[in-house]
Amino acid sequence: MILRSVKWLFIIIAVIVLLLIAGATAVAIMAVQKTPLVASTATTQLDGADSVNELLGQLQRAFSRREEGHQVTLTETQVESLVGVLQRALPDFKGVVNITPIGGTINLTYAIQDTGYFVNASALVLPGNSLRIEQVQIGDLTIPGRYLLRFLERTVNSYTQSEIATIALSRVERVTMESGELTLDVGRLDALLTELNVVASNMSVDEESELQRLSAYYLRYLSGREIALSTEPVSLIEYLREGMARAREQSETAQDAVLHNKAVILALAVYVGHHRVGTLVGDIQPNADKALKPRRGAVLHNRNDLARHFIISAALELLSEEGMSLAIGEFKELMDRGNGGSGYSFVDLAADMSGNEFAQVATEISTAVDVQNAMARIQSELEIIPAIDGLPEGLSKQAFIEQYERVDSMAYLKEVKEIKRRINLLPLYQR
Protein backbone atom coordinates (compact mmCIF):
# COMPACT_ATOMS: atom_id res chain seq x y z
CA MET A 1 0.00 0.00 0.00
CA ILE A 2 2.80 2.39 0.95
CA LEU A 3 4.77 1.47 -2.20
CA ARG A 4 1.71 2.16 -4.36
CA SER A 5 1.23 5.57 -2.72
CA VAL A 6 4.90 6.44 -3.25
CA LYS A 7 4.61 5.35 -6.89
CA TRP A 8 1.61 7.59 -7.49
CA LEU A 9 3.36 10.46 -5.70
CA PHE A 10 6.32 10.16 -8.08
CA ILE A 11 3.95 10.03 -11.05
CA ILE A 12 2.17 13.20 -9.90
CA ILE A 13 5.48 14.99 -9.34
CA ALA A 14 6.69 13.90 -12.80
CA VAL A 15 3.51 15.19 -14.43
CA ILE A 16 3.80 18.53 -12.60
CA VAL A 17 7.45 18.89 -13.67
CA LEU A 18 6.55 18.08 -17.29
CA LEU A 19 3.72 20.61 -17.21
CA LEU A 20 6.06 23.26 -15.78
CA ILE A 21 8.65 22.53 -18.45
CA ALA A 22 5.99 22.62 -21.16
CA GLY A 23 4.61 25.88 -19.76
CA ALA A 24 8.04 27.48 -19.53
CA THR A 25 8.82 26.34 -23.07
CA ALA A 26 5.54 27.79 -24.36
CA VAL A 27 6.23 31.10 -22.60
CA ALA A 28 9.77 31.18 -24.03
CA ILE A 29 8.46 30.51 -27.54
CA MET A 30 5.84 33.27 -27.21
CA ALA A 31 8.40 35.73 -25.82
CA VAL A 32 10.93 35.25 -28.63
CA GLN A 33 10.41 36.79 -32.06
CA LYS A 34 12.23 36.84 -35.40
CA THR A 35 12.20 40.61 -35.93
CA PRO A 36 13.35 43.40 -33.59
CA LEU A 37 10.83 45.88 -32.25
CA VAL A 38 13.43 48.64 -31.89
CA ALA A 39 16.06 49.61 -34.43
CA SER A 40 17.33 52.83 -32.82
CA THR A 41 21.03 53.55 -32.59
CA ALA A 42 22.88 54.68 -29.48
CA THR A 43 24.75 57.34 -31.44
CA THR A 44 21.51 59.17 -32.28
CA GLN A 45 20.26 58.93 -28.70
CA LEU A 46 23.53 60.24 -27.27
CA ASP A 47 23.15 63.54 -29.13
CA GLY A 48 21.18 64.85 -26.15
CA ALA A 49 23.55 63.67 -23.42
CA ASP A 50 24.25 67.22 -22.26
CA SER A 51 20.54 67.60 -21.33
CA VAL A 52 20.99 65.03 -18.52
CA ASN A 53 22.81 67.66 -16.43
CA GLU A 54 19.47 69.39 -15.81
CA LEU A 55 17.88 66.13 -14.67
CA LEU A 56 20.76 65.44 -12.29
CA GLY A 57 20.29 68.92 -10.81
CA GLN A 58 16.61 68.20 -10.14
CA LEU A 59 17.44 64.90 -8.43
CA GLN A 60 20.15 66.52 -6.32
CA ARG A 61 17.70 69.16 -5.08
CA ALA A 62 15.08 66.53 -4.30
CA PHE A 63 17.49 64.48 -2.20
CA SER A 64 19.07 67.45 -0.43
CA ARG A 65 15.66 68.94 0.47
CA ARG A 66 14.13 65.62 1.41
CA GLU A 67 11.42 66.97 3.70
CA GLU A 68 9.71 68.81 0.85
CA GLY A 69 7.71 67.68 -2.16
CA HIS A 70 9.28 68.16 -5.60
CA GLN A 71 8.51 68.06 -9.28
CA VAL A 72 10.91 66.07 -11.43
CA THR A 73 10.60 66.51 -15.19
CA LEU A 74 12.05 64.00 -17.61
CA THR A 75 12.20 64.58 -21.34
CA GLU A 76 12.37 61.99 -24.10
CA THR A 77 15.84 63.30 -24.88
CA GLN A 78 17.09 62.71 -21.34
CA VAL A 79 15.62 59.23 -21.05
CA GLU A 80 16.85 58.17 -24.47
CA SER A 81 20.34 59.51 -23.65
CA LEU A 82 20.45 57.23 -20.61
CA VAL A 83 19.19 54.35 -22.75
CA GLY A 84 21.87 55.25 -25.28
CA VAL A 85 24.75 54.92 -22.80
CA LEU A 86 23.39 51.52 -21.76
CA GLN A 87 23.20 50.47 -25.39
CA ARG A 88 26.75 51.74 -25.93
CA ALA A 89 27.91 49.30 -23.25
CA LEU A 90 25.50 46.49 -24.24
CA PRO A 91 25.22 46.56 -28.05
CA ASP A 92 22.60 43.77 -28.08
CA PHE A 93 20.18 46.01 -26.17
CA LYS A 94 18.06 48.72 -27.83
CA GLY A 95 15.35 50.96 -26.45
CA VAL A 96 13.19 53.90 -27.43
CA VAL A 97 10.77 56.12 -25.49
CA ASN A 98 7.79 58.12 -26.76
CA ILE A 99 5.85 60.52 -24.50
CA THR A 100 2.52 62.08 -25.52
CA PRO A 101 -0.17 63.93 -23.53
CA ILE A 102 -2.28 60.76 -23.31
CA GLY A 103 0.45 58.26 -22.46
CA GLY A 104 4.03 57.16 -22.76
CA THR A 105 5.43 54.03 -24.39
CA ILE A 106 8.68 52.24 -23.67
CA ASN A 107 9.87 49.77 -26.30
CA LEU A 108 12.85 47.47 -25.73
CA THR A 109 14.64 44.87 -27.83
CA TYR A 110 17.32 42.40 -26.80
CA ALA A 111 19.08 40.41 -29.48
CA ILE A 112 19.86 36.83 -28.47
CA GLN A 113 23.43 36.35 -29.63
CA ASP A 114 24.14 34.12 -32.63
CA THR A 115 20.50 33.03 -32.99
CA GLY A 116 18.80 35.63 -35.15
CA TYR A 117 16.01 35.88 -32.55
CA PHE A 118 14.92 38.80 -30.38
CA VAL A 119 13.13 39.39 -27.10
CA ASN A 120 10.85 42.38 -27.58
CA ALA A 121 9.04 44.18 -24.78
CA SER A 122 6.85 47.25 -24.57
CA ALA A 123 4.99 49.04 -21.79
CA LEU A 124 2.27 51.69 -21.80
CA VAL A 125 2.44 54.22 -18.97
CA LEU A 126 -0.59 56.44 -18.33
CA PRO A 127 -0.88 59.80 -16.52
CA GLY A 128 -2.73 59.84 -13.22
CA ASN A 129 -2.45 60.15 -9.46
CA SER A 130 0.07 57.32 -9.21
CA LEU A 131 2.44 55.36 -11.41
CA ARG A 132 0.08 53.52 -13.79
CA ILE A 133 1.35 50.88 -16.19
CA GLU A 134 -1.60 49.88 -18.35
CA GLN A 135 -0.07 46.79 -19.94
CA VAL A 136 3.22 45.12 -20.75
CA GLN A 137 3.82 43.17 -23.92
CA ILE A 138 6.65 40.60 -24.02
CA GLY A 139 6.74 39.02 -27.45
CA ASP A 140 3.23 37.68 -27.98
CA LEU A 141 2.46 37.70 -24.25
CA THR A 142 0.30 40.46 -22.79
CA ILE A 143 0.53 41.10 -19.04
CA PRO A 144 -1.72 43.57 -17.16
CA GLY A 145 0.54 46.34 -15.91
CA ARG A 146 -0.95 46.42 -12.39
CA TYR A 147 -0.12 42.73 -11.89
CA LEU A 148 3.44 43.20 -13.09
CA LEU A 149 3.90 46.29 -10.90
CA ARG A 150 2.55 44.39 -7.88
CA PHE A 151 4.83 41.44 -8.63
CA LEU A 152 7.89 43.71 -8.92
CA GLU A 153 6.95 45.52 -5.71
CA ARG A 154 6.70 42.28 -3.74
CA THR A 155 9.82 40.83 -5.31
CA VAL A 156 11.96 43.89 -4.52
CA ASN A 157 10.58 44.09 -0.98
CA SER A 158 11.27 40.40 -0.43
CA TYR A 159 14.77 40.52 -1.88
CA THR A 160 15.78 43.58 0.13
CA GLN A 161 13.89 42.50 3.28
CA SER A 162 12.28 45.93 3.41
CA GLU A 163 9.35 48.03 2.21
CA ILE A 164 11.54 50.04 -0.17
CA ALA A 165 9.49 49.37 -3.33
CA THR A 166 6.18 50.12 -1.61
CA ILE A 167 7.50 53.40 -0.20
CA ALA A 168 9.07 54.40 -3.52
CA LEU A 169 5.81 53.84 -5.40
CA SER A 170 3.86 55.77 -2.76
CA ARG A 171 6.13 58.78 -3.24
CA VAL A 172 4.80 59.24 -6.79
CA GLU A 173 1.77 61.45 -6.16
CA ARG A 174 0.98 62.45 -9.73
CA VAL A 175 2.16 61.73 -13.26
CA THR A 176 1.45 64.28 -15.98
CA MET A 177 2.55 64.17 -19.60
CA GLU A 178 3.01 66.57 -22.44
CA SER A 179 4.46 65.99 -25.86
CA GLY A 180 7.99 64.71 -25.26
CA GLU A 181 7.92 65.38 -21.52
CA LEU A 182 6.85 63.57 -18.33
CA THR A 183 6.53 65.26 -14.94
CA LEU A 184 6.47 63.43 -11.61
CA ASP A 185 5.02 65.10 -8.52
CA VAL A 186 7.09 63.43 -5.81
CA GLY A 187 6.30 63.52 -2.11
CA ARG A 188 8.86 64.08 0.63
CA LEU A 189 11.71 61.60 0.38
CA ASP A 190 12.90 61.37 3.98
CA ALA A 191 11.07 58.07 4.60
CA LEU A 192 12.45 56.61 1.38
CA LEU A 193 16.02 57.56 2.25
CA THR A 194 15.56 56.13 5.75
CA GLU A 195 14.36 52.87 4.22
CA LEU A 196 17.42 52.85 1.95
CA ASN A 197 19.54 52.65 5.09
CA VAL A 198 17.46 49.66 6.18
CA VAL A 199 18.11 48.02 2.81
CA ALA A 200 21.84 48.67 3.11
CA SER A 201 21.81 47.11 6.57
CA ASN A 202 19.75 44.08 5.50
CA MET A 203 21.88 43.36 2.45
CA SER A 204 25.25 43.85 4.09
CA VAL A 205 27.27 40.73 4.84
CA ASP A 206 28.34 39.89 8.36
CA GLU A 207 31.96 39.55 7.37
CA GLU A 208 33.74 41.92 5.03
CA SER A 209 35.05 40.45 1.80
CA GLU A 210 38.76 39.87 1.35
CA LEU A 211 38.85 42.51 -1.41
CA GLN A 212 37.14 45.03 0.86
CA ARG A 213 39.53 44.25 3.70
CA LEU A 214 42.58 44.63 1.46
CA SER A 215 41.25 47.84 -0.12
CA ALA A 216 40.86 49.32 3.37
CA TYR A 217 44.39 48.17 4.21
CA TYR A 218 45.94 49.79 1.12
CA LEU A 219 43.94 52.98 1.69
CA ARG A 220 45.47 53.30 5.16
CA TYR A 221 48.89 52.27 3.88
CA LEU A 222 48.99 54.82 1.05
CA SER A 223 47.64 57.63 3.23
CA GLY A 224 50.55 57.04 5.59
CA ARG A 225 53.28 57.35 2.97
CA GLU A 226 55.43 60.45 2.71
CA ILE A 227 54.09 61.38 -0.72
CA ALA A 228 50.62 61.81 0.78
CA LEU A 229 51.95 64.79 2.81
CA SER A 230 53.60 66.54 -0.15
CA THR A 231 52.69 70.19 -0.59
CA GLU A 232 53.27 69.81 -4.34
CA PRO A 233 51.21 67.70 -6.73
CA VAL A 234 52.50 64.12 -6.97
CA SER A 235 52.39 62.02 -10.11
CA LEU A 236 49.97 59.10 -10.00
CA ILE A 237 52.86 56.77 -10.88
CA GLU A 238 54.39 57.53 -7.47
CA TYR A 239 51.25 56.27 -5.75
CA LEU A 240 51.12 53.24 -8.04
CA ARG A 241 54.78 52.50 -7.31
CA GLU A 242 54.17 52.60 -3.55
CA GLY A 243 51.00 50.53 -3.73
CA MET A 244 52.23 47.91 -6.18
CA ALA A 245 55.53 47.50 -4.34
CA ARG A 246 53.62 46.64 -1.20
CA ALA A 247 51.29 44.38 -3.18
CA ARG A 248 54.31 42.50 -4.56
CA GLU A 249 55.58 41.92 -1.03
CA GLN A 250 52.18 40.51 -0.02
CA SER A 251 51.65 38.26 -3.07
CA GLU A 252 52.88 34.68 -3.00
CA THR A 253 51.00 33.46 -6.07
CA ALA A 254 49.61 34.90 -9.28
CA GLN A 255 46.13 34.68 -7.76
CA ASP A 256 47.36 36.74 -4.80
CA ALA A 257 48.78 39.30 -7.21
CA VAL A 258 45.41 39.70 -8.96
CA LEU A 259 43.59 40.27 -5.67
CA HIS A 260 46.17 42.68 -4.24
CA ASN A 261 46.39 44.65 -7.50
CA LYS A 262 42.61 45.06 -7.49
CA ALA A 263 42.76 46.33 -3.92
CA VAL A 264 45.50 48.86 -4.75
CA ILE A 265 43.51 50.24 -7.71
CA LEU A 266 40.31 50.54 -5.67
CA ALA A 267 42.13 52.14 -2.74
CA LEU A 268 43.75 54.71 -5.04
CA ALA A 269 40.43 55.43 -6.77
CA VAL A 270 39.01 56.30 -3.34
CA TYR A 271 42.10 58.17 -2.15
CA VAL A 272 43.20 60.28 -5.13
CA GLY A 273 40.14 59.79 -7.38
CA HIS A 274 36.99 60.50 -5.38
CA HIS A 275 36.03 59.26 -1.92
CA ARG A 276 32.53 58.32 -3.13
CA VAL A 277 34.00 55.48 -5.17
CA GLY A 278 34.31 53.83 -1.77
CA THR A 279 30.54 53.30 -1.67
CA LEU A 280 30.97 50.82 -4.53
CA VAL A 281 33.63 48.90 -2.62
CA GLY A 282 32.27 48.91 0.91
CA ASP A 283 33.10 50.50 4.22
CA ILE A 284 36.86 50.99 3.81
CA GLN A 285 37.39 54.41 5.40
CA PRO A 286 38.96 54.30 8.90
CA ASN A 287 36.74 57.21 9.89
CA ALA A 288 33.30 57.26 8.27
CA ASP A 289 32.90 60.97 9.05
CA LYS A 290 36.15 62.10 7.43
CA ALA A 291 37.40 60.54 4.21
CA LEU A 292 41.15 60.15 3.78
CA LYS A 293 42.70 62.25 1.01
CA PRO A 294 46.20 63.51 0.14
CA ARG A 295 47.31 67.04 0.90
CA ARG A 296 47.59 67.71 -2.84
CA GLY A 297 45.92 65.79 -5.64
CA ALA A 298 47.70 63.31 -7.88
CA VAL A 299 48.46 64.31 -11.47
CA LEU A 300 49.14 62.83 -14.89
CA HIS A 301 50.66 65.07 -17.56
CA ASN A 302 50.63 67.71 -14.78
CA ARG A 303 46.83 67.58 -14.64
CA ASN A 304 44.75 66.41 -11.70
CA ASP A 305 41.70 65.71 -13.87
CA LEU A 306 43.63 63.18 -15.96
CA ALA A 307 44.87 61.29 -12.89
CA ARG A 308 41.29 61.10 -11.60
CA HIS A 309 39.94 59.99 -14.99
CA PHE A 310 42.61 57.28 -15.17
CA ILE A 311 42.22 55.75 -11.72
CA ILE A 312 38.43 56.05 -11.45
CA SER A 313 38.04 54.44 -14.89
CA ALA A 314 40.38 51.66 -13.75
CA ALA A 315 38.19 51.09 -10.67
CA LEU A 316 34.97 51.15 -12.69
CA GLU A 317 36.49 48.61 -15.07
CA LEU A 318 36.92 46.26 -12.11
CA LEU A 319 33.49 46.93 -10.65
CA SER A 320 31.32 47.02 -13.77
CA GLU A 321 30.35 44.86 -16.69
CA GLU A 322 32.73 44.73 -19.63
CA GLY A 323 32.45 47.87 -21.71
CA MET A 324 30.44 49.84 -19.14
CA SER A 325 33.39 51.86 -17.84
CA LEU A 326 34.29 53.24 -21.27
CA ALA A 327 30.63 53.94 -22.04
CA ILE A 328 30.31 55.93 -18.80
CA GLY A 329 33.46 57.92 -19.59
CA GLU A 330 32.28 58.68 -23.10
CA PHE A 331 28.83 59.71 -21.81
CA LYS A 332 30.39 62.03 -19.24
CA GLU A 333 32.34 63.78 -21.99
CA LEU A 334 29.17 64.17 -24.06
CA MET A 335 27.44 65.71 -21.02
CA ASP A 336 30.33 68.18 -20.69
CA ARG A 337 29.53 69.68 -24.09
CA GLY A 338 26.61 71.62 -22.57
CA ASN A 339 26.67 75.05 -20.97
CA GLY A 340 28.83 75.05 -17.87
CA GLY A 341 30.70 71.91 -18.86
CA SER A 342 34.37 71.69 -19.73
CA GLY A 343 33.59 70.53 -23.26
CA TYR A 344 34.18 67.19 -24.95
CA SER A 345 37.75 66.07 -24.41
CA PHE A 346 39.53 63.30 -26.29
CA VAL A 347 42.36 63.89 -23.79
CA ASP A 348 40.06 62.85 -20.94
CA LEU A 349 38.88 59.90 -23.04
CA ALA A 350 42.52 58.85 -23.51
CA ALA A 351 42.95 58.84 -19.72
CA ASP A 352 39.73 56.80 -19.33
CA MET A 353 40.83 54.25 -21.91
CA SER A 354 44.32 54.01 -20.41
CA GLY A 355 42.83 53.39 -16.98
CA ASN A 356 40.62 50.66 -18.42
CA GLU A 357 43.61 48.99 -20.03
CA PHE A 358 45.71 49.26 -16.88
CA ALA A 359 42.99 47.61 -14.80
CA GLN A 360 42.76 44.74 -17.27
CA VAL A 361 46.50 43.91 -17.38
CA ALA A 362 46.87 44.43 -13.63
CA THR A 363 44.17 41.88 -12.86
CA GLU A 364 44.76 39.22 -15.50
CA ILE A 365 46.36 36.20 -13.90
CA SER A 366 48.97 35.96 -16.69
CA THR A 367 50.14 39.58 -16.30
CA ALA A 368 49.37 40.62 -12.70
CA VAL A 369 52.87 39.82 -11.40
CA ASP A 370 54.46 41.53 -14.44
CA VAL A 371 52.53 44.70 -13.66
CA GLN A 372 53.74 44.64 -10.06
CA ASN A 373 57.34 44.33 -11.29
CA ALA A 374 56.86 47.03 -13.93
CA MET A 375 55.41 49.47 -11.41
CA ALA A 376 58.32 48.88 -9.06
CA ARG A 377 60.73 50.27 -11.64
CA ILE A 378 58.46 52.72 -13.50
CA GLN A 379 60.22 55.95 -14.46
CA SER A 380 57.74 57.83 -16.62
CA GLU A 381 54.01 58.48 -16.84
CA LEU A 382 54.29 57.59 -20.53
CA GLU A 383 54.55 53.97 -19.41
CA ILE A 384 50.89 53.95 -18.35
CA ILE A 385 49.30 56.76 -20.39
CA PRO A 386 50.30 57.86 -23.91
CA ALA A 387 51.23 61.37 -25.01
CA ILE A 388 48.20 63.62 -25.40
CA ASP A 389 49.62 66.03 -27.97
CA GLY A 390 47.22 66.80 -30.78
CA LEU A 391 44.15 65.28 -29.13
CA PRO A 392 41.21 67.75 -29.32
CA GLU A 393 39.48 68.90 -26.13
CA GLY A 394 37.20 71.64 -24.85
CA LEU A 395 34.70 71.11 -27.67
CA SER A 396 31.27 72.65 -27.18
CA LYS A 397 28.25 70.71 -28.43
CA GLN A 398 28.09 72.84 -31.57
CA ALA A 399 31.81 72.46 -32.24
CA PHE A 400 31.60 68.72 -31.63
CA ILE A 401 28.69 68.32 -34.06
CA GLU A 402 30.38 70.46 -36.72
CA GLN A 403 33.61 68.48 -36.52
CA TYR A 404 32.46 64.94 -35.65
CA GLU A 405 28.64 64.84 -36.04
CA ARG A 406 28.12 61.76 -33.86
CA VAL A 407 30.06 59.10 -31.97
CA ASP A 408 29.88 56.65 -34.87
CA SER A 409 31.12 59.03 -37.55
CA MET A 410 34.35 58.29 -39.41
CA ALA A 411 35.95 61.43 -37.97
CA TYR A 412 35.07 60.46 -34.39
CA LEU A 413 36.15 56.84 -34.79
CA LYS A 414 39.42 58.06 -36.29
CA GLU A 415 40.21 59.97 -33.08
CA VAL A 416 39.33 56.93 -30.94
CA LYS A 417 41.44 54.70 -33.18
CA GLU A 418 44.38 57.08 -32.75
CA ILE A 419 44.01 56.91 -28.96
CA LYS A 420 43.92 53.10 -29.10
CA ARG A 421 47.00 53.10 -31.33
CA ARG A 422 48.93 55.21 -28.85
CA ILE A 423 47.86 53.02 -25.92
CA ASN A 424 48.75 49.81 -27.77
CA LEU A 425 52.29 51.11 -28.34
CA LEU A 426 52.97 51.13 -24.59
CA PRO A 427 54.93 47.96 -23.63
CA LEU A 428 52.87 47.46 -20.47
CA TYR A 429 49.73 46.93 -22.54
CA GLN A 430 51.23 44.64 -25.17
CA ARG A 431 50.03 41.20 -24.15
Side-chain angles (χ1 to χ4, degrees):
M1 188 70 175
I2 295 176
L3 290 176
R4 183 179 300 175
S5 299
V6 171
K7 176 182 177 181
W8 278 107
L9 178 60
F10 277 117
I11 291 174
I12 293 171
I13 292 174
V15 170
I16 292 173
V17 170
L18 289 173
L19 288 173
L20 288 173
I21 293 173
T25 303
V27 169
I29 291 173
M30 293 179 70
V32 173
Q33 297 179 317
K34 291 185 177 181
T35 57
L37 178 64
V38 181
S40 64
T41 61
T43 52
T44 302
Q45 293 171 320
L46 288 173
D47 284 345
D50 51 299
S51 68
V52 176
N53 286 310
E54 184 179 347
L55 174 60
L56 294 178
Q58 294 182 66
L59 295 176
Q60 184 176 9
R61 286 191 295 274
F63 282 112
S64 62
R65 294 155 57 181
R66 61 188 66 183
E67 295 183 357
E68 304 174 17
H70 296 271
Q71 277 194 339
V72 178
T73 300
L74 298 89
T75 65
E76 282 183 7
T77 301
Q78 292 167 341
V79 177
E80 288 212 339
S81 294
L82 296 173
V83 172
V85 70
L86 182 60
Q87 183 180 332
R88 196 74 170 159
L90 304 171
D92 295 324
F93 167 85
K94 295 181 185 298
V96 66
V97 177
N98 182 39
I99 304 173
T100 72
I102 61 173
T105 57
I106 305 169
N107 295 324
L108 305 172
T109 288
Y110 182 79
I112 304 174
Q113 287 187 353
D114 303 323
T115 64
Y117 288 94
F118 305 86
V119 176
N120 296 315
S122 63
L124 174 62
V125 182
L126 299 179
N129 294 326
S130 62
L131 180 60
R132 294 175 57 201
I133 300 179
E134 181 65 15
Q135 67 178 30
V136 176
Q137 190 84 20
I138 303 176
D140 294 326
L141 294 172
T142 300
I143 305 171
R146 63 183 183 278
Y147 293 148
L148 180 63
L149 205 56
R150 191 178 305 162
F151 170 77
L152 293 175
E153 177 185 350
R154 291 176 177 176
T155 301
V156 171
N157 285 347
S158 176
Y159 180 73
T160 59
Q161 303 174 49
S162 71
E163 295 296 315
I164 187 72
T166 303
I167 295 175
L169 289 172
S170 70
R171 297 304 89 183
V172 180
E173 298 177 345
R174 186 172 179 81
V175 178
T176 55
M177 298 182 187
E178 299 178 8
S179 182
E181 188 174 281
L182 179 150
T183 299
L184 299 174
D185 286 292
V186 181
R188 50 189 296 171
L189 299 177
D190 47 347
L192 178 62
L193 297 178
T194 299
E195 193 68 9
L196 280 173
N197 291 329
V198 174
V199 172
S201 175
N202 289 342
M203 299 187 71
S204 62
V205 294
D206 294 333
E207 296 182 7
E208 61 183 357
S209 69
E210 183 67 5
L211 179 59
Q212 181 182 341
R213 184 187 69 78
L214 286 174
S215 298
Y217 166 77
Y218 283 109
L219 177 60
R220 295 192 302 272
Y221 177 80
L222 290 164
S223 65
R225 309 308 292 170
E226 186 176 347
I227 55 175
L229 302 176
S230 173
T231 57
E232 298 294 328
V234 177
S235 173
L236 181 61
I237 65 170
E238 300 296 332
Y239 285 101
L240 285 171
R241 181 187 290 117
E242 293 275 3
M244 290 296 178
R246 186 61 173 167
R248 185 169 63 166
E249 293 174 358
Q250 302 293 312
S251 303
E252 297 182 359
T253 66
Q255 288 86 352
D256 290 343
V258 169
L259 182 61
H260 282 266
N261 290 358
K262 283 183 179 180
V264 170
I265 291 171
L266 295 176
L268 279 175
V270 173
Y271 189 56
V272 301
H274 198 290
H275 67 90
R276 288 183 179 171
V277 176
T279 60
L280 302 176
V281 184
D283 184 14
I284 66 173
Q285 292 284 354
N287 184 348
D289 297 325
K290 187 176 181 180
L292 292 173
K293 62 180 180 179
R295 179 173 293 183
R296 292 294 302 273
V299 294
L300 281 176
H301 292 306
N302 294 315
R303 288 173 49 170
N304 174 249
D305 64 323
L306 296 187
R308 295 176 70 178
H309 271 275
F310 181 99
I311 199 63
I312 291 176
S313 291
L316 290 176
E317 181 69 22
L318 301 181
L319 296 170
S320 65
E321 293 292 331
E322 183 180 356
M324 184 60 77
S325 176
L326 180 57
I328 291 172
E330 187 178 62
F331 187 68
K332 192 267 181 189
E333 294 306 319
L334 290 168
M335 288 174 61
D336 281 345
R337 301 177 306 175
N339 294 332
S342 58
Y344 195 98
S345 172
F346 285 98
V347 173
D348 289 351
L349 193 60
D352 292 333
M353 294 169 65
S354 299
N356 296 344
E357 195 69 20
F358 181 82
Q360 291 175 24
V361 298
T363 57
E364 286 181 5
I365 196 164
S366 60
T367 54
V369 174
D370 294 334
V371 169
Q372 290 180 347
N373 294 332
M375 290 300 100
R377 58 177 183 271
I378 189 171
Q379 298 296 319
S380 169
E381 294 176 347
L382 294 176
E383 294 181 49
I384 63 170
I385 185 173
I388 57 175
D389 305 32
L391 296 179
E393 62 178 333
L395 298 169
S396 66
K397 182 174 183 177
Q398 184 60 35
F400 180 90
I401 292 173
E402 289 177 357
Q403 192 165 349
Y404 299 102
E405 296 183 13
R406 293 173 179 158
V407 293
D408 63 347
S409 69
M410 292 297 294
Y412 181 88
L413 295 176
K414 182 179 178 181
E415 296 287 2
V416 175
K417 184 177 180 180
E418 170 59 17
I419 294 173
K420 289 180 179 178
R421 184 192 70 81
R422 296 186 187 190
I423 291 174
N424 290 337
L425 287 176
L426 305 186
L428 184 66
Y429 303 140
Q430 294 174 1
R431 63 193 192 281

